[in-house]
């Protein structure tokens, strides 16, 4: 059974707030099946990072293909300017208008502790 996107987002925001981080929903998708993207803005470095839904192949490599896809992420952009993330999100939204975008104001290592990040294979 897949976890509803709106429930996952609400849980993510509460978890971030319980660790002293602020968070907001920048874009709402479908409540039940929308893909979730997580933007982390680090005020100390004034940079942003983006975690996107992990491709199914990476989820399977990580060991549990039965896990709800909304809860597995891969880091797509690391410590970039916000305009790069905005461009990436706009490109994704152009072919999938059901995406959720959640922004958390905290360091990347805090976000990695809040979501399940799948490591991409090294080339």
């Amino acid at each position: 059974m897949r976890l509803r996107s709106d429930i996952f987002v609400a849980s993510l925001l509460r978890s971030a707030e319980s660790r002293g981080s602020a968070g907001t929903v920048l874009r709402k998708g479908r409540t039940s099946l929308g893909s979730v993207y997580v933007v982390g803005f680090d005020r100390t470095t004034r940079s942003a990072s983006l975690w996107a839904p992990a491709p199914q192949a990476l989820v399977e490599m990580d060991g549990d293909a039965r896990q709800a896809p909304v809860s597995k992420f891969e880091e797509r952009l690391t410590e970039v300017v916000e305009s790069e993330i905005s461009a990436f999100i706009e490109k994704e939204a152009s072919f999938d208008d059901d995406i959720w975008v959640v922004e958390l104001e905290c360091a990347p290592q805090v976000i990695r502790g809040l979501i399940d990040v799948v490591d991409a294979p090294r080339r």
Side-chain angles (χ1 to χ4, degrees):
M1 184 171 129
R2 183 181 167 118
L3 180 64
R4 286 179 28 174
S5 300
D6 60 340
I7 293 171
F8 177 81
V9 167
S11 175
L12 178 61
L13 290 171
R14 283 192 187 101
S15 294
E17 289 171 4
S18 73
R19 294 180 184 195
S21 300
T24 188
V25 176
L26 299 178
R27 181 184 180 103
K28 285 186 178 181
R30 264 173 83 186
T31 58
S32 59
L33 298 174
S35 298
V36 178
Y37 292 77
V38 179
V39 176
F41 181 70
D42 188 346
R43 287 187 177 272
T44 59
T45 62
R46 310 224 17 93
S47 64
S49 298
L50 175 75
W51 290 266
Q56 190 62 34
L58 287 181
V59 172
E60 290 171 2
M61 286 174 54
D62 198 45
D64 189 2
R66 296 169 304 170
Q67 180 76 297
V70 73
S71 64
K72 298 278 189 172
F73 294 87
E74 76 171 330
E75 194 165 3
R76 293 276 180 92
L77 299 173
T78 306
E79 296 182 3
V80 297
V81 295
E82 284 186 273
S83 60
E84 286 184 54
I85 290 182
S86 296
F88 183 93
I89 293 296
E90 287 307 312
K91 182 179 175 186
E92 292 294 309
S94 70
F95 62 86
D96 182 5
D97 62 351
D98 288 333
I99 66 173
W100 287 75
V101 180
V102 178
E103 183 177 77
L104 303 175
E105 290 186 16
C106 54
Q109 59 268 26
V110 174
I111 293 174
R112 286 186 204 101
L114 294 172
I115 60 175
D116 190 2
V117 179
V118 177
D119 290 325
R122 304 271 182 215
R123 293 184 182 169

